[in-house]
Amino acid sequence: MISASPLLRLLLPMAAGIALGECTYNRLAPQPDLTLGLWGVVVAAMLGTLASGRKVRRTLRHVQNGLFVVAAFLLGVLLLWGERRGQAVVWPTHDNTAMPLAANYRARVCDLPKPTAKAWRARLLLMDGANRGQTIEAILVDRRRPLRLGDVVVGHFAVRALRPHRNPGQTERAPFLRRQGVTGTALCFARRWRVLSASASLTLKERALLLRERWVAQYHAHFPAHDMAVLSAMTLGHRGLVDAETRALYSETGASHVLALSGLHLAILYALFEYTLGAWSRRRSLPWQVGVGLLGLGLIWAFAFLTGFPTSLVRAALMFSIVRLLLFFSRPPRPLHSLTLAVLVMLVVSPSWLFDVGFQLSCAAVAGILILRPLLPTLQWFSLRPTLPPYTPLPRFTRWKKSAVRFVYELLAVSLAAQVGTAPLVAYYFNLLPLNGIFSSLLVIPAAYLLLSGSLLFLLLPFARSLLAPFLSGVLEAMESGLRLLQALPGSVLTVHPTLFAVGLSYLFLLSCVAFAGSRTVALRRRFLFVSLGLLLVGGVHFAYISHRRARVAPEVRLYHTTGVTALHFIADARHSYLLATDTLRARRALAQTARRDWDAHNLNVAFLPLSALSTAEGCTALQQRCAPAGSRSNASPTLIDFSPRVVLFAHRRWAVVRELLPLFPPREPLAVDYLVLTRGARNHLQRLLRFYQPRLLLLAADLSDHYRLRYLEEAVALRLPVFDVDRQGAFLEEISVAPAPVSAPPK
């Protein structure tokens, strides 16, 4: 494999260095002396590699290779640190609480604003101030006001630095925004912002986005909402309109790559270009061929630019460009070498792309096709040339039959190679293995040819739209009907929860199997066979350890970082866990990824309880009844959790939750509690709250407004009360060493 692409000697250690740089950025990157020393080591290692020359002894060759690996590894670390430093922006904050400080900003809408129920979600480019030129993602409340791309907005709001959610099992949004150039977020209420003027001069990218929106509007005018959303995702990269049910259908059948623009779409469009202008140019002179080839490259990058440069499409465009340039210079292209070079260029430009899910899946799919497909057998029966005398041409029907069967076989083989290459990553990120993904390609890829070519004609030929719309809708409906049949088959999807270590073992096992199949000597085959068996043994031990660890759920209490809702989770064991939420429906939606990747992995039985019932004695009795053991609903039944007005008793700890104004008259002595949780609706001053409760730690929920959050932080600092802010510090997790003992509920 290294001989197929020598650049792997540079790519693999550099990727490992980027991963280590991400893990050590907060601890080591702020030290300038260390960074300067690492650059010195890189330069010294590269000079040592070049000074040793090409013709060296075997011992010096190992030293030379070691210096090269060290240089590439440290280069990856420094590239990641440099990119992160360029994205680090200091926003104005209060001195004593580190809360964001509101200020007046003048900004320009630099991306298409997305409407929500009551507000606009927009990307704003700041036009003045100390952070001029920075891009933020802002929520502008008041949907009634029109907002368009290019508008100049003036507003008074506070900008926050990007912070992770830190909920168990949840994918962080901060790195995703950082990769798109966003350095902060903001919330601006109604009457605190207005459109100052409409910008007449748009950038080239903004004009491309407006053109894409016009094409989406043409889909909307001729197709139903569902067909419009799917076609917009497949052809223009506009996936925001696809609903959750459709995403689940394509994911569970292994066809989700059709909704994300990738090398498949680019290959189809470039094949259409080759069958038309490419075939015409090959019958002309060499200058015509070069000109048409350059036009094809320009169209490839124009399509990538129009769709917003998704990472999978950028990787595919780079590969196509490298292959075409090699053909211009009469060099036989090496696909694996082209893939390695494309990935290397992308990581040098933006090292954080290494952690993008789409980038990883795209590279794994192409690598699986290039590495695993040659190992699959190609039957001699598919050959259209007779191998035995008499050497007479085959009948036309036989040629058609063999061509059709060969097309189906190649489709299945390529799909199998791509599915195997991406299976560990799909299982890790989406917790499912679509076993019918091989057969879904028989439906998806031919339909993708028809849909992409038909959509291209639909967008370019306005007079034919009324004729093409029913055809495209019929093809899409037929494809999704076939996918629903595959989805309904028993055992079509496996739910799995692998660890990152298991994913690495899976890829090492695949590489060892590939090396075993490509070995030419018995000694090498025996060596790689032992390596494969050893990896299987390690994987079995790891699976047994993880299964045993997940079966023993440790008691824990979690206050989740959920926007707009308070979610307090009490976990006694796998069968008994209780989640109190201010809005159970919003909590289910906000914690859907945590439920899939964390709760399901530990087989947690979660009971959703309304937090509003905790305010009254009758509500506490109802909560006690719902938490009683199965088969017994009496008030005196022993439970693992106990409720009283605004207080939860769990594992010998008291949690006071305040979500409304407290009574007028406080008790004689404040109730000693371990934690005091303040949620949206808590408006009393902290000094008055302490007359009711005496906590060891103050917890500020994520749905608390900024006004009251700032006030409680300032009051906690003045009273020297320890405080944990979920909005800034992420989810609050407390492991309990002693298992909660059953307690008897109070009588009615």
Side-chain angles (χ1 to χ4, degrees):
M1 187 182 302
I2 299 295
S3 60
S5 179
L7 288 176
L8 285 173
R9 300 179 185 271
L10 174 63
L11 176 62
L12 295 180
M14 193 177 78
I18 292 173
L20 181 64
E22 179 70 19
C23 298
T24 59
Y25 173 76
N26 294 326
R27 298 179 181 178
L28 302 180
Q31 304 177 15
D33 296 337
L34 178 61
T35 304
L36 185 62
L38 290 179
W39 275 115
V41 173
V42 170
V43 173
M46 293 300 297
L47 292 178
T49 304
L50 296 175
S52 57
R54 294 185 178 182
K55 297 182 179 180
V56 295
R57 296 181 180 180
R58 186 173 182 179
T59 305
L60 292 179
R61 178 61 57 87
H62 292 312
V63 175
Q64 184 184 31
N65 293 335
L67 290 175
F68 184 78
V69 169
V70 170
F73 178 80
L74 295 179
L75 181 63
V77 174
L78 294 171
L79 285 175
L80 193 280
W81 286 1
E83 184 186 33
R84 291 290 302 273
R85 285 196 188 96
Q87 297 169 345
V89 179
V90 179
W91 299 102
T93 58
H94 292 272
D95 295 334
N96 55 348
T97 61
M99 283 286 292
L101 183 64
N104 294 323
Y105 292 96
R106 188 168 63 95
R108 184 169 175 272
V109 181
C110 60
D111 201 349
L112 291 169
K114 300 177 182 178
T116 60
K118 298 181 180 180
W120 293 96
R121 184 185 295 271
R123 299 281 175 88
L124 302 180
L125 180 66
L126 301 183
M127 302 178 64
D128 51 15
N131 293 321
R132 180 181 179 182
Q134 298 296 328
T135 302
I136 64 173
E137 185 176 75
I139 297 178
L140 306 177
V141 182
D142 196 354
R143 170 76 185 282
R144 296 172 298 178
R145 299 184 184 182
L147 190 67
R148 294 178 297 271
L149 177 65
D151 288 348
V152 177
V153 177
V154 60
H156 183 77
F157 49 84
V159 182
R160 304 170 180 270
L162 298 178
R163 294 190 181 94
H165 291 286
R166 297 190 182 95
N167 282 338
Q170 190 174 24
T171 302
E172 305 295 352
R173 182 169 172 80
F176 171 75
L177 294 176
R178 193 183 300 117
R179 285 192 294 269
Q180 295 187 342
V182 178
T183 57
T185 59
L187 172 64
C188 188
F189 294 98
R191 298 183 181 180
R192 293 193 177 183
W193 68 276
R194 65 185 180 91
V195 177
L196 189 63
S197 63
S199 177
S201 60
L202 298 177
T203 63
L204 186 60
K205 181 179 179 180
E206 292 169 353
R207 294 179 185 275
L209 291 175
L210 288 178
L211 178 61
R212 189 182 72 170
E213 287 301 307
R214 294 194 190 100
W215 286 350
V216 172
Q218 293 299 327
Y219 282 144
H220 184 72
H222 293 83
F223 293 95
H226 172 75
D227 297 352
M228 180 268 296
V230 176
L231 287 175
S232 299
M234 288 183 59
T235 59
L236 300 174
H238 196 289
R239 292 186 292 171
L241 302 175
V242 182
D243 53 39
E245 183 180 357
T246 304
R247 292 176 185 269
L249 172 65
Y250 283 84
S251 297
E252 294 177 3
T253 54
S256 58
H257 59 280
V258 179
L259 296 179
L261 290 177
S262 61
L264 171 65
H265 303 75
L266 202 59
I268 292 174
L269 294 176
Y270 196 77
L272 296 176
F273 177 81
E274 282 292 316
Y275 289 150
T276 53
L277 290 179
W280 175 82
S281 66
R282 284 191 290 271
R283 296 192 296 267
R284 299 295 187 272
S285 60
L286 182 61
W288 281 101
Q289 297 179 20
V290 174
V292 172
L294 293 176
L295 176 62
L297 291 181
L299 292 177
I300 285 175
W301 287 104
F303 179 68
F305 175 78
L306 180 64
T307 55
F309 287 110
T311 53
S312 56
L313 201 61
V314 170
R315 190 268 317 152
L318 278 174
M319 281 195 63
F320 273 96
S321 302
I322 293 169
V323 170
R324 293 302 304 177
L325 291 176
L326 289 176
L327 290 177
F328 287 159
F329 294 102
S330 301
R331 298 277 184 176
R334 292 186 292 177
L336 186 59
H337 189 68
S338 302
L339 172 64
T340 307
L341 182 58
V343 173
L344 189 61
V345 171
M346 293 179 68
L347 292 183
V348 169
V349 173
S350 179
S352 60
W353 271 350
L354 179 66
F355 311 103
D356 186 77
V357 180
F359 176 81
Q360 296 175 8
L361 290 175
S362 176
C363 295
V366 177
I369 293 173
L370 297 179
I371 297 174
L372 300 178
R373 173 59 191 95
L375 301 180
L376 299 177
T378 301
L379 302 180
Q380 189 65 31
W381 183 83
F382 294 154
S383 177
L384 300 179
R385 297 181 179 180
T387 56
L388 298 175
Y391 298 102
T392 57
L394 296 176
R396 181 176 299 178
F397 177 75
T398 304
R399 294 174 64 89
W400 286 355
K401 181 175 65 175
K402 287 191 174 186
S403 298
V405 176
R406 182 174 60 180
F407 173 77
V408 173
Y409 177 78
E410 287 294 330
L411 203 58
L412 288 175
V414 171
S415 178
L416 177 61
Q419 293 286 335
V420 172
T422 58
L425 289 175
V426 170
Y428 178 72
Y429 286 114
F430 306 106
N431 305 116
L432 54 88
L433 276 179
L435 301 181
N436 50 18
I438 305 172
F439 303 102
S440 65
S441 298
L442 296 177
L443 295 172
V444 169
I445 295 181
Y449 271 93
L450 296 176
L451 291 174
L452 284 174
S453 56
S455 298
L456 183 63
L457 295 176
F458 176 86
L459 296 174
L460 297 180
L461 304 177
F463 59 87
R465 288 172 181 171
S466 58
L467 299 177
L468 290 172
F471 169 74
L472 295 176
S473 295
V475 173
L476 186 60
E477 183 179 358
M479 180 185 71
E480 292 189 346
S481 299
L483 292 179
R484 290 189 185 94
L485 291 176
L486 291 176
Q487 186 185 28
L489 293 177
S492 59
V493 180
L494 292 180
T495 303
V496 291
H497 299 87
T499 61
L500 189 60
F501 182 75
V503 173
L505 279 181
S506 301
Y507 279 112
L508 288 178
F509 177 75
L510 284 176
L511 292 177
S512 65
C513 292
V514 170
F516 173 80
S519 300
R520 298 182 180 180
T521 62
V522 178
L524 284 178
R525 283 177 174 264
R526 187 178 302 170
R527 182 183 303 173
F528 286 117
L529 178 61
F530 288 151
V531 171
S532 302
L533 293 178
L535 291 173
L536 283 178
L537 179 61
V538 173
V541 173
H542 176 72
F543 176 76
Y545 169 73
I546 292 298
S547 300
H548 176 71
R549 183 179 177 182
R550 287 175 175 173
R552 300 181 60 184
V553 178
E556 189 178 14
V557 180
R558 303 173 179 176
L559 180 59
Y560 291 111
H561 186 289
T562 47
T563 305
V565 60
T566 297
L568 189 58
H569 196 180
F570 299 92
I571 303 174
D573 50 42
R575 294 181 301 171
H576 305 91
S577 69
Y578 317 97
L579 191 142
L580 279 77
T582 53
D583 189 337
T584 55
L585 183 60
R586 294 185 65 178
R588 288 178 186 271
R589 290 199 299 262
L591 296 173
Q593 196 173 36
T594 299
R596 188 183 76 244
R597 303 187 63 179
D598 185 72
W599 299 350
D600 294 346
H602 295 86
N603 295 320
L604 284 183
N605 181 24
V606 181
F608 283 81
L609 304 175
L611 191 59
S612 57
L614 196 65
S615 302
T616 61
E618 293 79 5
C620 293
T621 302
L623 292 177
Q624 202 72 47
Q625 291 177 351
R626 292 184 59 178
C627 296
S632 175
R633 295 297 181 184
S634 64
N635 292 338
S637 302
T639 59
L640 299 175
I641 190 171
D642 192 14
F643 304 95
S644 62
R646 293 185 296 275
V647 177
V648 180
L649 177 62
F650 181 78
H652 309 289
R653 288 174 173 83
R654 289 176 179 173
W655 296 71
V657 183
V658 178
R659 57 183 303 271
E660 70 277 333
L661 287 173
L662 294 181
L664 184 60
F665 301 102
R668 294 182 179 179
E669 295 291 336
L671 178 64
V673 296
D674 295 279
Y675 304 99
L676 176 59
V677 183
L678 302 182
T679 71
R680 181 182 294 273
R683 300 179 181 179
N684 296 103
H685 285 275
L686 184 58
Q687 191 170 5
R688 177 169 175 78
L689 290 173
L690 295 182
R691 297 177 66 181
F692 286 82
Y693 305 102
Q694 185 178 359
R696 293 190 297 108
L697 179 65
L698 179 66
L699 299 177
L700 303 182
D703 64 340
L704 198 64
S705 64
D706 288 346
H707 172 73
Y708 288 102
R709 186 183 308 277
L710 177 60
R711 193 181 76 179
Y712 286 132
L713 285 173
E714 291 176 345
E715 293 176 347
V717 171
L719 296 174
R720 297 182 180 180
L721 178 65
V723 61
F724 186 95
D725 187 6
V726 174
D727 184 66
R728 290 185 301 158
Q729 300 173 256
F732 177 77
L733 310 176
E734 187 202 25
E735 295 185 358
I736 301 173
S737 58
V738 181
V743 296
S744 297
K748 233 180 186 181

